[in-house]
Amino acid sequence: MAIIEVDRLAKSYGGRTVLDGVSFAVEEGEIFGLLGPNGAGKTTTVECVEGLRRPDGGRVRVAGRDPATDRRRVTPILGVQLQHSDLQDKLTVREALELYGAFYPHPADRRELAGRLGLDDLLDRRFGTLSGGQKQRLFIALALIGRPRVVVLDELTTGLDPNARRDTWELIDGLRDDGVTILLVTHFMEEAQRLCDRVAVLRSGVLAALDTPAGLIEHARNATVVSFTPSRPPGDDALAALPALRTVRRADDGRLVVSGTDATVEALMSLLARDGITAHNLRVESATLDDAYLDLTRGEH
Ligand SMILES: Nc1ncnc2c1ncn2[C@@H]1O[C@H](COP(=O)(O)OP(=O)(O)OP(=O)(O)O)[C@@H](O)[C@H]1O
């Protein structure tokens, strides 16, 4: 069942359209990524899901409720980590967890949550003295304190060092195991590829693509590129007949560069074996979500 429904969402600021008919549905238990260049409308979309902004057109539902008009019902099930959050400098980490926990009828165990986010040594530290990464981890903890069914994480790991980023990914994996639905805004393709079941790519306020990471990669212009120096050249006709072939290029140094999909590479290997051709210095490169994303958003910032 879809727990988040976004249907033909439209939003303008001062007459300038920033969302123009965006539709997607997030299934319960799914990790759904929202990608796109700066200014594409990601934050505006999640703010509409959170009920912080009212759409100018279209419909948003969280667990069947309108988050803008039915906040009383939506707030208890929705955890939110805002992109630009702030707390009073004098508040300690412990006080922040207690304060936010008090908003919910059945808050998470504060100690356990602090432990999971590496905050246990920081409980008595004041917010104003925390580093950027420590603040970020606290905001993630605050998003989770109410044991939400749905969590919206806007730029989850921006500002975290590589170790903290990996720890956070493990935390998200743990939430997935608990059946929590996650809407994740990110600029990190590795993060999206690692965590998301499906991703939507926004471009200038419209949906440019919606698929699994593997599905998007499959559609990258050069999904798989194989290059090698053949012991003798394979026939042009046989190469042209390879399934899902995209390009064939003979480099100046004699290397043959073939791009297509995994099926192209498998057929090429069979062709070489059949014709007794040896592939020297064979290299196979698979496209990443980064490649697919760049294809989809090329020309944008
Ligand atoms: N309150 C506002 N008033 C006017 N324009 C706004 C407002 N909030 C956002 N915008 C504009 O709407 C567009 C979409 O912004 P939004 O923050 O949703 O994009 P984004 O995809 O989240 O970008 P980023 O990756 O930079 O966070 C941008 O051009 C932005 O300048």
Side-chain angles (χ1 to χ4, degrees):
M1 189 197 95
I3 193 156
I4 302 175
E5 296 164 80
V6 173
D7 184 25
R8 285 165 290 168
L9 178 62
K11 181 80 189 166
S12 305
Y13 293 117
R16 196 167 67 85
T17 302
V18 297
L19 291 177
D20 191 6
V22 171
S23 299
F24 60 87
V26 181
E27 301 299 316
E28 181 135 38
E30 192 173 30
I31 302 185
F32 190 92
L34 208 48
L35 312 180
N38 292 132
K42 304 178 298 295
T43 297
T44 305
T45 303
V46 296
E47 285 177 349
C48 290
V49 169
E50 292 157 358
L52 298 175
R53 289 197 190 278
R54 273 174 193 260
D56 295 334
R59 213 176 81 113
V60 176
R61 293 289 179 272
V62 175
R65 312 265 176 199
D66 183 339
T69 59
D70 207 351
R71 297 191 62 78
R72 206 170 50 86
R73 289 229 171 71
V74 173
T75 306
I77 61 160
L78 187 67
V80 172
Q81 176 230 349
L82 298 173
Q83 191 185 125
H84 302 290
S85 311
D86 223 341
L87 287 174
Q88 268 199 349
D89 276 352
K90 293 235 164 70
L91 206 64
T92 65
V93 170
R94 187 192 313 279
E95 287 165 349
L97 291 169
E98 277 169 9
L99 179 66
Y100 277 69
F103 297 150
Y104 298 93
H106 307 291
D109 185 292
R110 284 193 300 272
R111 269 174 198 281
E112 204 241 340
L113 192 58
R116 276 165 85 181
L117 282 150
L119 293 169
D120 13 21
D121 293 340
L122 302 173
L123 287 171
D124 294 318
R125 285 273 295 278
R126 295 190 191 283
F127 179 74
T129 70
L130 299 178
S131 73
Q134 290 166 339
K135 285 181 180 171
Q136 186 82 338
R137 279 186 274 147
L138 175 58
F139 288 127
I140 298 170
L142 298 180
L144 300 177
I145 192 95
R147 294 180 197 270
R149 271 171 74 193
V150 181
V151 188
V152 180
L153 301 167
D154 197 348
E155 304 206 6
L156 170 73
T157 61
T158 300
L160 296 189
D161 65 41
N163 286 327
R165 179 169 295 155
R166 270 167 208 285
D167 290 347
T168 309
W169 291 351
E170 274 176 31
L171 176 86
I172 301 298
D173 274 336
L175 292 176
R176 180 210 301 272
D177 295 343
D178 293 345
V180 176
T181 306
I182 297 169
L183 179 58
L184 174 73
V185 176
T186 183
H187 284 292
F188 297 112
M189 295 304 128
E190 191 192 351
E191 178 166 294
Q193 193 167 348
R194 159 87 168 66
L195 290 178
C196 295
D197 298 303
R198 289 188 304 148
V199 292
V201 181
L202 273 184
R203 181 181 156 142
S204 305
V206 297
L207 208 62
L210 198 172
D211 207 335
T212 59
L216 287 180
I217 292 167
E218 181 78 6
H219 288 104
R221 261 192 302 177
N222 293 323
T224 310
V225 179
V226 58
S227 67
F228 57 95
T229 308
S231 53
R232 66 183 167 78
D236 285 345
D237 289 349
L239 287 176
L242 290 171
L245 178 74
R246 306 241 168 109
T247 58
V248 178
R249 186 167 63 82
R250 286 193 168 82
D252 292 344
D253 61 2
R255 285 180 80 75
L256 192 63
V257 184
V258 176
S259 73
T261 66
D262 289 348
T264 319
V265 178
E266 281 163 27
L268 175 63
M269 293 303 123
S270 308
L271 170 71
L272 298 180
R274 190 197 66 195
D275 292 353
I277 299 173
T278 310
H280 297 289
N281 297 320
L282 179 73
R283 253 182 264 143
V284 182
E285 284 168 47
S286 297
T288 61
L289 192 56
D290 226 15
D291 298 313
Y293 175 82
L294 288 173
D295 283 352
L296 282 164
T297 58
R298 215 172 284 273
E300 301 269 322
H301 305 291

